[in-house]
Amino acid sequence: MFFLQRPLTRIPFQSNQIRTIFKRSAPPPKLWKKEQVDKKVYQVLFTYSNIEEDKVSLYSSIEKDLLVDERQRYGLYLDLLNEFELSIAPYRSLVRDWQSGKEAADWIAANLEEKQRLIDC
């Protein structure tokens, strides 16, 4: 019975640690400017587009100009929700309503403004 003969060792408790059964609160959500929203939507849109970067713009048609199919549009929608930390039910009809990146950026900015996370500058 070798395992019973060893003394028990404890991990030292550091004085700057706080023992609690509660989880730490989440950090506050990020505040966005409209220009930042447009830039981030453009970056995500470019990752989903199937053409060269110089032909991608916020005003390009998602389906016709950027050649994004239905499945990629849904992924774009989910990635934008994750990027801007929006918790909205993922409805496929909303994805079909976006005709361009500008419409997506305006929709996201409206939701951020509704949640008081869009700042004016």
Side-chain angles (χ1 to χ4, degrees), residues 49-106:
S49 67
N50 297 321
I51 59 173
E52 296 83 31
E53 185 177 6
D54 58 339
K55 295 182 181 177
V56 176
S57 75
L58 283 177
Y59 297 100
S60 302
S61 171
I62 293 175
E63 191 173 340
K64 295 176 184 172
D65 298 335
L66 303 179
L67 306 174
V68 177
D69 65 3
E70 186 176 342
R71 183 174 290 164
Q72 289 175 327
R73 286 175 74 143
Y74 192 65
L76 169 70
Y77 176 76
L78 292 178
D79 282 351
L80 287 174
L81 288 183
N82 289 336
E83 188 67 41
F84 292 101
E85 301 170 1
L86 294 173
S87 57
I88 300 169
Y91 298 114
R92 288 187 180 267
S93 63
L94 289 175
V95 180
R96 290 188 206 111
D97 289 344
W98 293 347
Q99 297 301 317
S100 67
K102 187 64 175 168
E103 287 183 17
D106 291 343

Side-chain angles (χ1 to χ4, degrees), residues 35-46:
E35 297 82 26
Q36 292 173 325
V37 172
D38 290 343
K39 189 179 291 187
K40 185 55 80 172
V41 169
Y42 173 79
Q43 290 171 353
V44 174
L45 193 63
F46 174 68

